[in-house]
Amino acid sequence: MTALEGQVAIITGAGSGIGEAICLRLAAMGAVLGLVGRNAANLERVQSAIEGLGGKADIFPCDLQDAASVAKLGETIGERYGRCDILVNNAGVAIAGRPLHELAVEDWETMSATNLRGPYLMIRAFAPMMIAAGRGHIANISSLAGHNPVANAAAYSATKWGLNGLTYSVAEELRPHGIRVSAVAPGSVNTRFGGGASGKNAEKKIQPDDIAHVVAMLVTQAPQSFVSEVLVRPTQKP
């Protein structure tokens, strides 16, 4: 498929799980991938996989909790490609398993900085390029925890509720510029995210490529409309 030929897609949390699956899917559709994450070795592995399939990808190690690093990333992407057609804010952190009053302040700060402040910084860095072009797609990977109460994961849930609100509001801000902003909210996905082991049947869980399929759908929508949010549940409860 060449539906995204010539387009540049920037993906955070690109080194594993959902991010890796999204990168492989969009590369197969012809996009040039910018792989963003903290672990350079993981990014290099995904880059090699993409290149092995005939695609093109560059790696950009970046700490999304550092505002200066994210701003520099935007400048670097602008200088290298001169455009950003697709931005997927996928990177996230889950620290759960205890009630909120027992959660360490540092854990609250880590989740807030990665799950909510990180997407804000990325949009701040890349939206101007899209506005200048008069087009673009932003997909924020949220969670069903951003719609439902989750005991012993209140802080994580709060960041995803916040990400949903950010998504809906930014979508209204950027619609006049031809930019579509969407949230993808999956249930339990078969990755190592949050420790990975949950006692659930991994085969019945949502698979990373299921989310990649949704993102591919979002960035190839007909121009006169956009999907503001996709809730993704497994066919059978795991």
Side-chain angles (χ1 to χ4, degrees):
M1 295 186 295
T2 59
L4 301 179
E5 191 73 36
Q7 296 192 35
V8 174
I10 307 301
I11 318 296
T12 69
S16 63
I18 293 173
E20 178 178 358
I22 292 171
C23 290
L24 291 169
R25 176 64 68 101
L26 300 188
M29 296 170 69
V32 174
L33 271 295
L35 313 181
V36 179
R38 290 183 297 178
N39 189 312
N42 284 347
L43 298 179
E44 289 170 358
R45 180 182 55 78
V46 176
Q47 180 188 38
S48 295
I50 290 172
E51 292 176 345
L53 296 172
K56 182 178 179 182
D58 295 309
I59 66 171
F60 300 94
C62 180
D63 181 359
L64 297 181
Q65 297 186 37
D66 183 3
S69 294
V70 176
K72 179 62 177 176
L73 173 66
E75 293 173 4
T76 300
I77 296 296
E79 292 169 359
R80 180 167 303 188
Y81 304 120
R83 62 190 296 169
C84 174
D85 303 283
I86 298 166
L87 170 62
V88 181
N89 288 309
N90 165 72
V93 176
I95 304 170
R98 68 195 70 175
L100 184 67
H101 67 275
E102 295 180 3
L103 184 75
V105 172
E106 299 80 34
D107 291 341
W108 171 279
E109 297 292 349
T110 296
M111 284 187 280
S112 297
T114 304
N115 300 349
L116 187 53
R117 186 169 179 264
Y120 149 66
L121 292 174
M122 290 293 291
I123 292 169
R124 188 172 187 271
F126 288 95
M129 273 185 264
M130 295 181 175
I131 291 171
R135 65 185 303 274
H137 296 270
I138 300 173
N140 295 325
I141 307 302
S142 184
S143 169
L144 291 182
H147 288 276
N148 306 315
V150 184
N152 296 325
Y156 174 73
S157 181
T159 63
K160 293 302 186 179
W161 281 80
L163 181 59
N164 289 342
L166 180 148
T167 302
Y168 310 147
S169 299
V170 172
E172 291 301 309
E173 295 173 359
L174 297 182
R175 285 173 72 179
H177 302 285
I179 301 164
R180 295 183 280 196
V181 186
S182 307
V184 181
S188 297
V189 182
N190 186 26
T191 69
R192 297 300 302 171
F193 181 73
S198 65
K200 296 182 178 181
N201 185 329
E203 294 183 358
K204 291 183 179 180
K205 283 185 175 183
I206 300 162
Q207 301 302 311
D209 197 54
D210 296 331
I211 308 305
H213 174 79
V214 172
V215 172
M217 178 273 291
L218 291 174
V219 301
T220 55
Q221 296 170 72
Q224 71 272 13
S225 63
F226 81 100
V227 176
S228 59
E229 183 175 22
V230 180
L231 307 184
V232 186
R233 294 181 172 88
T235 303
Q236 298 180 38
K237 290 187 176 181

